């Protein structure tokens, strides 16, 4: 009788297992499908490096400006914008004194901005007073002339006055 009960229990277990219902206490492999999950992670993006320039007054010219005066003003405007390639093409290459473009551009490393005042224009000679504010807050003052030919600065004679 005991053997018959074991046999019935075994047949019952096999038939239940065959129907897909697991028998308690008997491990049955189960395939589990999980729904795709999404997650949101907030990642701090570092700010792009920024170059900050000190607020600069514009280079300016006295009334009655000429093409020659505008060339000198454009030259200092390019320097104030840190557009040294434009300043170079406006005559920086002719007044740099040697050393090439890189040395020329590096020469403005301690200049925050410059204000140029045209005091006189006689033919192709433009007389100016220049105030160059340095990165340490000091100001260097110059006066002199620029010679303009063909829309570019062809020469200069500047003297530091302060």
């Amino acid at each position: 009788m005991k053997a018959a009960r074991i046999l019935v229990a075994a047949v019952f277990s096999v038939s239940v297992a065959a129907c897909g219902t697991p028998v308690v206490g008997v491990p049955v492999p189960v395939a589990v499908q999980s729904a795709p999950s999404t997650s949101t992670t907030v990642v701090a993006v570092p700010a792009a490096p920024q170059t900050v320039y000190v607020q600069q007054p514009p280079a300016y010219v006295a009334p009655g400006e000429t093409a020659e005066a505008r060339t000198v003003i454009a030259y200092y405007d390019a320097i104030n914008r840190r557009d040294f390639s434009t300043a170079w093409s406006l005559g920086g290459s002719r007044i740099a004194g040697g050393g090439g473009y890189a040395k020329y551009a590096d020469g403005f490393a301690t200049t925050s901005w410059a204000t140029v005042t045209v005091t006189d224009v006689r033919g192709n000679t433009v007389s100016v007073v220049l105030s160059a504010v340095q990165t340490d807050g000091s100001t260097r003052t110059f006066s002199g002339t620029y010679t303009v030919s063909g829309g570019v600065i062809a020469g200069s004679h500047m003297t530091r006055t302060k």
Side-chain angles (χ1 to χ4, degrees), residues 43-51:
V43 177
V45 177
Q50 296 180 3
T51 303

Side-chain angles (χ1 to χ4, degrees), residues 47-118:
Q50 296 180 3
T51 303
V52 178
Y53 295 105
V54 176
Q55 178 68 30
Q56 60 192 26
Y60 61 96
V61 66
E65 70 181 59
T66 64
E68 291 79 12
R70 284 192 301 273
T71 298
V72 174
I73 298 305
Y75 173 76
Y76 280 99
D77 180 59
I79 290 170
N80 282 341
R81 290 182 291 109
R82 314 312 263 182
D83 182 359
F84 299 121
S85 63
T86 297
W88 181 257
S89 68
L90 284 169
S93 61
R94 297 175 181 206
I95 62 175
Y101 174 78
K103 184 175 179 184
Y104 168 79
D106 288 345
F108 294 100
T110 62
T111 303
S112 290
W113 50 266
T115 301
V116 63
T117 304
V118 173

